[in-house]
Every structure is written in structure tokens, then in C-alpha cells.
Amino acid sequence: DWKKFGRLTVEKQIESDLKGNLQYLCVCECGKQRSAVGVQLRSGKVKSCGCLNSQASRERAITRNKNLILIHDVSGKIISTKKVKHET
């Protein structure tokens, strides 16, 4: 029974990295696969394939720029933004 860390679910153990740390093949909630070192998974340093950082960046940009429309996927995650042009 594999564990979940943030948005990542561990599928299987793979070869160790160059420092001898155990690595795992993980699948992110967004569907992408990535490898991750076990220590980083357990410490919370690695939580996603990178999509979490992308989403956080978009959300920060949105709070700074109120002229954006958010485009969501069916699960409610922001997948894109579109600038709104105001007529003067």
C-alpha cells in the first residue's frame, strides 16, 4: 500500500540517486509522473510534479492583477488566465 505526499502518490521504488538516497516513482494528481527522493517526500520539500508551484504563481499574479479572468478545469484548478481589456 503506497503513500500519498501532497499531490504525489508513490507507485514504486526505483534506483537510488548518486548519493545513495532511495528514490520513488510518483504520480501527481495532475497526471504527470516524476521521481522523488524519499527524504524529500517525507519532509514535505517535494509535494507535486511542479504544478503546485505553477498554480501558486498564477494565484499570486491574480491577486496583484485584478484585470485577469481565471479559467478553471472541471476539478476547479486554475488552468489558464486571460487579461481583460477595459474600454476607456
Side-chain angles (χ1 to χ4, degrees), residues 3-71:
K3 294 193 177 199
K4 188 164 174 112
F5 298 91
R7 292 185 175 184
L8 295 173
T9 301
V10 174
E11 282 203 329
K12 64 180 179 178
Q13 182 179 333
I14 55 177
E15 71 280 348
S16 298
D17 68 6
L18 296 174
K19 296 180 181 179
N21 297 313
L22 291 177
Q23 289 195 106
Y24 298 90
L25 180 64
C26 303
V27 176
C28 187
E29 288 178 2
C30 73
K32 292 182 183 175
Q33 286 188 328
R34 74 157 290 172
S35 62
V37 175
V39 173
Q40 293 178 337
L41 287 169
R42 288 187 296 278
S43 71
K45 185 173 183 178
V46 174
K47 297 177 185 172
S48 73
C49 67
C51 65
L52 188 59
N53 289 335
S54 298
Q55 184 176 359
S57 294
R58 279 194 300 273
E59 289 172 356
R60 281 192 301 276
I62 291 159
T63 38
R64 288 191 302 269
N65 185 349
K66 301 296 183 188
N67 296 326
L68 293 177
I69 294 175
L70 309 180
I71 301 166

Side-chain angles (χ1 to χ4, degrees), residues 73-84:
D73 66 7
V74 292
S75 69
K77 292 180 185 171
I78 300 168
I79 57 171
S80 183
T81 58
K82 183 177 179 182
K83 275 203 173 214
V84 176

